[in-house]
Amino acid sequence: MHRVLVPVDTNEDRAITQARYITSLPDAAESVEAYLLFIFTDESEDLPKDFKQFKSASRIGSVRRAKEHLEDNGVDVTVLEGSGDVEEGDILTRADEYDVDAIVLGGRKRSPVGKAVFGSVTQSVILNTDRPVVVTGGSGD
């Protein structure tokens, strides 16, 4: 079984793009196990207020949509959640905890200057892991 960690934020388009990448892998339905990770942070300002009281990654639209796409294509999915340090803390800790074979991050469109440097989370994950990291394309922020 090929295990992949898929950290998603609240952007549904990016989460679907990440899920589509996974389902495009050879024999994904038979050989891939996906771990969707949503991390609640103090900066999760774009979430409705009721989410702050009853935090559950399964209630986040991007998590639900990615999970549905993966399941519809026969990929085993586990939803994980965390809180706090997005960059190294939860992503790399979960990658180690679940002994994943790869990490699939969602990319963002950047300005010409922004294209010269990855986002801080992406850059931190790439620089601080020995696991393969895939950065999928994304639409908007």
Side-chain angles (χ1 to χ4, degrees), residues 9-63:
D9 59 15
T10 58
N11 185 290
E12 292 184 19
D13 290 336
R14 272 196 300 273
I16 290 297
T17 301
Q18 290 168 270
R20 285 186 181 137
Y21 168 78
I22 293 165
T23 58
S24 76
L25 295 171
D27 299 319
E30 294 81 28
S31 62
V32 176
E33 184 177 356
Y35 293 92
L36 286 173
L37 173 62
F38 183 85
I39 301 170
F40 291 93
T41 65
D42 292 336
E43 291 82 40
S44 298
E45 297 169 4
D46 52 347
L47 294 176
K49 291 180 183 178
D50 63 327
F51 280 95
K52 294 177 181 162
Q53 183 178 4
F54 302 105
K55 289 181 181 177
S56 171
S58 297
R59 296 180 67 203
I60 307 298
S62 57
V63 174

Side-chain angles (χ1 to χ4, degrees), residues 6 12 16 19 34 42 44-45 50-51 53 65 72-73 88 92-94 97-98 106-108 110-112 115 128 133:
V6 190
E12 292 184 19
I16 290 297
D42 292 336
S44 298
E45 297 169 4
D50 63 327
F51 280 95
Q53 183 178 4
R65 297 236 4 244
D72 289 348
N73 286 277
E88 287 183 49
L92 297 181
T93 299
R94 294 301 175 99
E97 180 180 346
Y98 289 90
R108 297 178 181 205
R110 299 284 182 187
S111 67
K115 289 179 182 178
N128 292 297
V133 177

